[in-house]
Amino acid sequence: MQTLRTVAEVRDAVRATRERGGSVGLVPTMGAFHEGHLSLMRAACAAHDLVVVSLFVNPTQFGPGEDLAAYPRDEQRDASLAEDAGADILFAPPVAEVYPDGFATSIHVTGITDVLCGATRPGHFDGVATVVTKLFGIVRPDAAYFGQKDAQQVLVVRRVVRDLNLDVRVVACPIVREADGLAMSSRNAYLDAAARVQARALSRALDAAQSAVAAGQVAATGVLAAAGAVLAEAGIDPEYLELRSPDDLAPADAVAPSALLAVAARIGAARLIDNRLLEAS
Ligand code: AMP
């Protein structure tokens, strides 16, 4: 695996594969790799001749007062994990390579970015949409791999691809969890022992909602009550706990036939998110 720092180097490295008729996969990340990231890399490696993993803690998707400075960074460890997962190129550019002086363009997706994480993190999805669009322009991948853990991000990226006619297939991969159900996240590193225990309640709340649906409770009020009770019992006051359409994030008043249950909460020093696609049987 090569670690590359510049757009020109990545373009050169990808060109040879493309000229041979090979296919290229892209896995955008902010590093601090865990099994969630590695699952995307393995999926990409199984499907493509060349896999580029980008490692870039994108400043434009962090708001003022968020954890940009504290975000965990360990490029050496990440490089070794990416290589073991089969990646061919680690693209780890400095900020000035991605946002040179005079950078003045931003991609804003309306509607679906106003709710859930977009409601409390204004500008976050502009930063995501802009950097992902740039990565698509730099790498020109056949497919790009994202985690369903960030369900709203997947919808935003799909919308950019559709609206701007980008020639990229967006692949969403399942959420990878710790043994006790906690969705893996680089931000789990911020949890102390007590917060780590409390954090289990997020996935348990989703489990409770899923059980309620399996028992025939498909109305949003019942589903949200089942999940909310688990959070309350763990002393968690969520930033949001909402049932929404998995297609456009419109409010859903029932799981009919499916709905996305999404949660965000501050737990200890971390802001964590999780979600579950609920399906009525
Ligand atoms: P991040 O480095 O947190 O920006 O994540 C990079 C990619 O990995 C995003 O597409 C995330 O959705 C995905 N990802 C993060 N955590 C998980 C997880 N637990 N399971 C699956 N994918 C994940």
Side-chain angles (χ1 to χ4, degrees):
M1 190 187 74
Q2 286 179 284
T3 296
L4 303 178
R5 308 270 170 210
T6 69
V7 171
E9 285 170 332
V10 172
R11 289 213 163 114
D12 277 353
V14 171
R15 187 173 299 124
T17 298
R18 193 169 293 110
E19 280 172 2
R20 284 200 311 270
S23 79
V24 178
L26 170 67
V27 183
T29 82
M30 298 204 301
F33 294 156
H34 49 66
E35 275 300 317
H37 297 109
L38 301 180
S39 73
L40 306 187
M41 295 178 206
R42 291 189 195 108
C45 291
H48 301 282
D49 301 298
L50 184 90
V51 170
V52 179
V53 174
S54 61
L55 192 179
F56 182 61
V57 183
N58 175 32
T60 65
Q61 70 188 72
F62 289 78
E66 291 189 355
D67 57 341
L68 174 61
Y71 200 81
R73 291 168 165 88
D74 187 345
E75 187 186 305
Q76 261 193 351
R77 174 182 173 275
D78 285 348
S80 133
L81 289 170
E83 180 158 34
D84 290 349
D88 300 289
I89 294 169
L90 186 70
F91 176 40
V95 172
E97 180 71 9
V98 179
Y99 298 112
D101 276 352
F103 188 86
T105 302
S106 175
I107 307 263
H108 178 68
V109 178
T110 59
I112 56 170
T113 62
D114 294 339
V115 301
L116 301 180
C117 290
T120 45
R121 303 186 72 191
H124 167 69
F125 288 113
D126 294 5
V128 170
T130 303
V131 82
V132 167
T133 303
K134 283 174 64 72
L135 289 167
F136 288 175
I138 294 164
V139 177
R140 295 203 288 128
D142 296 278
Y145 292 74
F146 296 86
Q148 186 60 26
K149 153 109 188 317
D150 297 273
Q152 189 172 15
Q153 174 170 278
V154 172
L155 289 176
V156 168
V157 172
R158 286 196 194 283
R159 193 63 65 91
V160 170
V161 165
R162 191 193 75 178
D163 289 354
L164 299 184
N165 307 100
L166 304 183
D167 194 11
V168 182
R169 192 160 52 85
V170 174
V171 181
C173 298
I175 301 175
V176 178
R177 297 179 178 281
E178 302 286 356
D180 65 359
L182 177 65
M184 289 192 184
S185 164
S186 305
R187 291 187 166 102
N188 291 350
Y190 301 153
L191 299 171
D192 63 19
R196 176 64 186 78
V197 170
Q198 195 184 25
R200 290 182 197 158
L202 292 181
S203 63
R204 289 194 179 156
L206 303 179
D207 294 342
Q210 193 164 358
S211 300
V213 172
Q217 176 57 268
V218 295
T221 45
V223 172
L224 293 171
V230 175
L231 297 180
E233 198 181 328
I236 296 171
D237 178 19
E239 188 180 282
Y240 63 72
L241 172 68
E242 293 180 24
L243 196 65
R244 292 194 169 264
S245 156
D247 303 320
D248 60 6
L249 300 184
D253 49 21
V255 180
S258 66
L260 183 76
L261 179 61
V263 63
R266 289 206 165 273
I267 297 183
R271 177 185 178 278
L272 301 181
I273 59 173
D274 201 350
N275 70 83
R276 181 87 41 95
L277 181 68
L278 300 175
E279 285 171 321
S281 44

